[in-house]
Amino acid sequence: VQLQASGGGSVQAGGSLRLSCVVSAGGKVVNVYDMSWYRQAPGKQREMVATQRSDGTTAYAESVKGRFSILRDAAVNALYLDMNTLQSEDTAAYYCKVVAALPWRGRQDYWGQGTQVTVSS
């Protein structure tokens, strides 16, 4: 299972970005359950930013509530993060993570490569 994240960049405070993450499995059938975005700033621990569970419920870090929205396109196994009113504190490498299962393997966590978001004030 591979996750390809994209959409990071540099933006001024108050601006917006959309991150994308596409899940693929080399043509194999993969069942995707929870899908999440995490971030890690220099010198800090990785933290959960937003999660969309397989039952459709969502959860957000307090620091991004009202500014970020997580969206999921189950038809193409894609995950998005709409980030608005960006602040310098949002500067970090952003990672997508899914809980997925291949037919012959149980549920596992899979991580994408990070995509850098830099917000300048």
Side-chain angles (χ1 to χ4, degrees):
V1 178
Q2 294 85 42
L3 280 65
Q4 182 66 45
S6 61
S10 297
V11 64
Q12 290 193 326
S16 300
L17 282 174
R18 166 176 267 208
L19 304 183
S20 301
C21 179
V22 177
V23 182
S24 62
K28 300 177 181 65
V29 173
V30 57
N31 294 315
V32 178
Y33 301 95
D34 297 356
M35 303 181 81
S36 306
W37 287 100
Y38 283 71
R39 69 185 179 187
Q40 187 167 20
K44 295 189 176 181
Q45 288 190 329
R46 190 171 296 190
E47 64 173 351
M48 188 277 292
V49 176
T51 292
Q52 184 167 77
R53 304 181 187 94
S54 55
D55 63 3
T57 59
T58 58
Y60 293 91
E62 283 296 323
S63 60
V64 307
K65 279 183 180 179
R67 300 188 298 121
F68 289 13
S69 294
I70 189 168
L71 303 167
R72 176 174 182 166
D73 187 342
V76 295
N77 279 336
L79 182 69
Y80 305 97
L81 185 68
D82 285 333
M83 306 185 294
N84 298 304
T85 318
L86 283 160
Q87 305 166 355
S88 57
E89 294 77 18
D90 297 317
T91 295
Y94 284 72
Y95 299 86
C96 55
K97 189 200 88 170
V98 301
V99 178
L102 292 163
W104 59 89
R105 187 177 291 172
R107 298 186 187 193
Q108 289 186 297
D109 290 351
Y110 295 91
W111 290 85
Q113 88 288 2
T115 185
Q116 180 67 35
V117 172
T118 302
V119 184
S120 57
S121 56

